Amino acid sequence: MAEAPPIEEFLDRWDLEFVGRPVSDRPKYPGTGDVAFVRQGGDQLVLKTTPAGTDEERSGAVLAHWDGQGAVRVIRQGHGAVLIERAMPGNDLVDMVLNGGDEAATDILCDIMAKLKRPKPLRPHYRSISDWSRGFGRNRDKAVGVGVPAELIEAAQSVFMDLWVTQAIPILLHGDLQHYNVVRDAERGWLAIDPKGILGEPAYETGAMLRNPQDPDLCADPAIIERRARQICRRRGHAYDRVIGWCFSQWVLSVLWAIEDNLPYAPEWLTGPLAARELL
């Protein structure tokens, strides 16, 4: 993974005025780019670096593919950075869930899914969900070493691969469509940000929204998972067993990725995957 150029380099190169940085109580995930609020003339924009070799490297191309339909618009992109429109006020869906609006937030995520459902582009090359599945084998021993049951990993890998070989025609997915990555603009409504860009069937997209926000009391309960999954299936027409299967297998995979990124493992990380497994 290569380091992205410093954000100051693009301020100068693209004639941008620095305004500030986002304020968040969430720790920065390893490998994510630097972000700044900037101004160009009268336009309020967001500048983000996109380190090579990370999930964010092709985020500009993904956003350009959607062309502002359900997502923020790309203003400019270059090697190592992307300049996008700034959604204002920019609040995400987490507060809506915290204030008892989980069903409304799920509806909004379903609306965004519908807007982003476009055929995959001919170019550039994107990774597929089968590429992501390699995380099961790559991180198995390390995960078992810190306390993740080998049987749970094997079960999740089996479900993932069964769904992959029977999947519908792949499209270009966001790859991390969930409550933190959908923000509100006063004029354009709710918009997706920070796509990873992955090729897979539309039902795959539901996994991230079912395991977020990252609070076990909000999502890691069989009753909550089932209610949300059935709501998604009604809205988007997906098969319930596929949505639950993706939810379980991706949740385990996300645990393995976090361990790979050297985040301090906690046994509570398995509460969600185990709850989803009860519904299989």
Side-chain angles (χ1 to χ4, degrees):
M1 182 177 66
E3 291 290 330
I7 210 149
E8 290 77 14
E9 178 178 324
F10 293 94
L11 292 173
D12 294 336
R13 187 187 305 176
W14 292 345
D15 191 26
L16 303 170
E17 178 187 352
F18 178 82
V19 174
R21 294 186 182 276
V23 177
S24 174
D25 56 3
R26 297 181 69 203
K28 183 179 178 181
Y29 199 86
T32 57
D34 198 6
V35 182
F37 296 136
V38 297
R39 183 182 295 112
Q40 190 173 61
D43 296 328
Q44 299 281 350
L45 304 170
V46 176
L47 174 63
K48 184 169 186 177
T49 59
T50 53
T54 69
D55 288 337
E56 299 182 332
E57 183 178 8
R58 295 191 182 275
S59 62
V62 179
L63 291 171
H65 174 67
W66 290 328
D67 194 25
Q69 300 299 309
V72 292
R73 295 187 178 99
V74 174
I75 307 303
R76 186 169 183 175
Q77 56 180 311
H79 182 68
V82 61
L83 184 66
I84 59 178
E85 70 172 315
R86 180 178 175 182
M88 298 182 72
N91 52 298
D92 60 31
L93 287 170
V94 176
D95 283 345
M96 186 179 293
V97 177
L98 292 173
N99 290 308
D102 186 52
E103 291 188 31
T106 301
D107 275 340
I108 290 168
L109 287 163
C110 288
D111 290 341
I112 296 292
M113 284 179 64
K115 292 176 181 177
L116 301 184
K117 187 179 178 182
R118 304 183 66 178
K120 65 180 182 181
L122 296 177
R123 299 184 186 193
H125 171 72
Y126 292 94
R127 289 172 297 175
S128 70
I129 59 176
S130 64
D131 294 320
W132 276 4
S133 72
R134 294 172 187 158
F136 286 110
R138 188 175 65 242
N139 301 313
R140 181 186 184 281
D141 291 345
K142 187 174 182 179
V144 171
V146 298
V148 180
E151 182 272 335
L152 182 68
I153 299 172
E154 290 158 5
Q157 184 175 14
S158 177
V159 170
F160 191 106
M161 299 311 294
D162 285 347
L163 291 170
W164 170 63
V165 298
T166 59
Q167 70 173 321
I169 297 174
I171 63 172
L172 182 59
L173 303 173
H174 182 289
D176 193 22
L177 187 64
Q178 36 87 354
H179 305 72
Y180 300 98
N181 286 338
V182 173
V183 296
R184 187 172 68 88
D185 182 79
E187 295 184 1
R188 300 222 296 129
W190 292 97
L191 302 169
I193 60 171
D194 294 343
K196 309 303 183 189
I198 190 77
L199 299 177
E201 71 167 351
Y204 183 91
E205 196 83 284
T206 64
M209 64 181 70
L210 287 171
R211 64 177 182 270
N212 279 285
Q214 295 174 354
D215 181 334
D217 292 335
L218 300 176
C219 62
D221 178 274
I224 295 174
I225 297 168
E226 180 176 11
R227 172 179 55 76
R228 285 174 152 196
R230 293 198 180 281
Q231 181 180 353
I232 292 167
C233 291
R234 287 194 303 270
R235 290 292 311 276
R236 301 299 309 132
H238 300 313
Y240 174 78
D241 60 338
R242 298 191 72 82
V243 169
I244 293 298
W246 283 129
C247 174
F248 164 64
S249 59
Q250 289 181 46
W251 214 326
V252 174
L253 185 57
S254 71
V255 169
L256 301 188
W257 284 335
I259 292 170
E260 180 180 36
D261 289 329
N262 296 315
L263 298 184
Y265 171 72
E268 303 84 69
W269 289 6
L270 300 184
T271 303
L274 292 172
R277 191 180 187 183
E278 291 183 29
L279 301 172
L280 289 176

